[in-house]
Amino acid sequence: MNQFERYGNLIVISGPSGVGKSTLVKEVRKVLDDLKFSISCTTRSPRPGEEHGREYYFLAPEEFEAKVQAGEFLEYAGIFARRYGTLKSEVLSRLKAGEQVLLDIDVQGAKQIRAAAEKDPELARSVHFVLIAPPSLASLETRLRGRGSETEEQLQLRLGAAKAELSNYGIYDYIIVNDQLEQAAVELTAVLRSFRFLTKTLKNELFNE
Ligand code: ADP
Ligand code: 5GP
C-alpha cells in the first residue's frame, strides 16, 4: 500500500473568452500529461474542427434541460445566450480515484462550485480556483478577433462580459496573466503542480505506527 495515496484535485480555470485558456491548457498538458479534462455540455453549435465528446457534448436545448431536471449537473449557467454545464459524472468519481481534473468554466459556474464546496468537505478538500487574465482589455479584443471564430454579435457579447468577469477576480485563489504564452504556461504549470503536495488531500493517517 502507498501510505501517501491521495484524493485528486479539481482545478477550476476561468477567464474571459479569448484570453487563451485552451491554448495555455494545451501547453501545460505537454508537461503535466495526466491532467484530465472534464467535458462540458453545451447548447452552442460546434466550431469547425470541434467534435461531440471531445471539446464538448453538444446538446439540443431539450436534452440539456432534461439533464438539469435529472440533477446531473455539478453546475450550469447561461452564457452568451447559450447553456453550458459540468456533469457530476465527469468529476466526482475521478477525484476519489486521485485524478487531476480540469474544468474550464465561467465565473457563474465557479461561484456555484464554491458554494457547493462550502457544504461538501470532500469537494472543499480538492477544489482550487484559478483565473486567467489578459494583460489588458484591448489585447483581449485583438486575440478574440484574431481567432476569427465568432460573429460580430457574439464578439460584442463576449467583450461586454469580459470586464464583469474579470472584476470577480477576488473569488479565485490564483491569477495568471497570459501575456507571453510561454511564461504564463510555466506559471500555470507551477501552480497546478503545487496542488499535488497538499496535506489535505492525503487519504491515510501518516506515521502513526
Ligand atoms: P479561450 O480558450 O480563452 O477562449 P483561446 O485559447 O482560443 O482562448 O485563445 C484565443 C486566441 O488568442 C487564439 O487565437 C490564440 O492563439 C491566441 N492566444 C492565446 N494566448 C496568447 C498569447 N499569450 N499571446 C497572443 N495570442 C494568444
Ligand atoms: P466557448 O463557447 O468559447 O467554448 O466557451 C464560452 C465560455 O463558456 C467560456 O468562458 C468557458 O469557460 C465557459 N464554459 C465552458 N463550459 C462550461 C461549463 O460547463 N460551465 C460553465 N459555467 N461555463 C462553461
Side-chain angles (χ1 to χ4, degrees):
M1 190 186 96
N2 170 15
Q3 63 171 335
F4 296 106
E5 202 182 350
R6 288 171 189 280
Y7 295 103
N9 288 299
L10 179 60
I11 301 147
V12 175
I13 295 198
S14 305
S17 179
V19 74
K21 297 181 297 296
S22 319
T23 313
L24 258 176
V25 166
K26 215 163 150 192
E27 286 302 305
V28 170
R29 285 177 108 185
K30 290 180 188 164
V31 184
L32 303 177
D33 58 7
D34 59 350
L35 283 180
K36 300 279 173 5
F37 228 130
S38 158
I39 300 170
S40 292
C41 296
T42 182
T43 61
R44 82 154 164 76
S45 316
R47 295 182 186 132
E50 286 184 335
E51 266 177 38
H52 180 81
R54 195 178 65 192
E55 282 77 15
Y56 283 101
Y57 300 113
F58 296 98
L59 303 183
E62 316 78 73
E63 293 173 307
F64 194 102
E65 181 56 27
K67 291 191 185 300
V68 171
Q69 294 305 325
E72 289 184 36
F73 287 117
L74 186 60
E75 63 74 35
Y76 62 93
I79 310 165
F80 316 132
R82 306 277 185 269
R83 300 182 91 183
Y84 293 78
T86 305
L87 292 168
K88 290 176 184 165
S89 59
E90 288 282 311
V91 173
L92 301 178
S93 59
R94 287 168 158 184
L95 292 183
K96 288 209 172 69
E99 296 186 2
Q100 310 293 314
V101 185
L102 205 101
L103 301 185
D104 170 349
I105 64 175
D106 84 322
V107 65
Q108 304 173 68
K111 283 180 176 170
Q112 288 174 47
I113 291 186
R114 254 208 191 280
E118 273 168 25
K119 297 190 203 119
D120 178 349
E122 288 188 15
L123 199 54
R125 172 178 63 204
S126 289
V127 72
H128 316 280
F129 296 87
V130 182
L131 180 67
I132 311 296
S136 66
L137 289 171
S139 64
L140 184 66
E141 179 164 357
T142 308
R143 275 181 210 173
L144 206 47
R145 286 194 184 280
R147 190 170 70 186
S149 58
E150 312 302 326
T151 61
E152 187 61 27
E153 188 195 356
Q154 273 291 323
L155 198 104
Q156 291 307 333
L157 272 176
R158 283 163 192 256
L159 290 175
K163 206 170 164 185
E165 179 142 356
L166 289 166
S167 70
N168 279 292
Y169 69 90
I171 75 154
Y172 295 88
D173 305 311
Y174 299 85
I175 180 165
I176 304 277
V177 179
N178 182 20
D179 188 355
Q180 298 302 318
L181 179 63
E182 238 173 74
Q183 174 67 16
V186 167
E187 290 167 0
L188 185 57
T189 304
V191 165
L192 302 199
R193 196 175 257 145
S194 73
F195 300 154
R196 299 170 185 221
F197 306 100
L198 290 164
T199 50
K200 66 179 177 179
T201 56
L202 286 165
K203 283 191 174 175
N204 304 308
E205 268 194 49
L206 300 180
F207 311 117
N208 61 351
E209 62 272 20

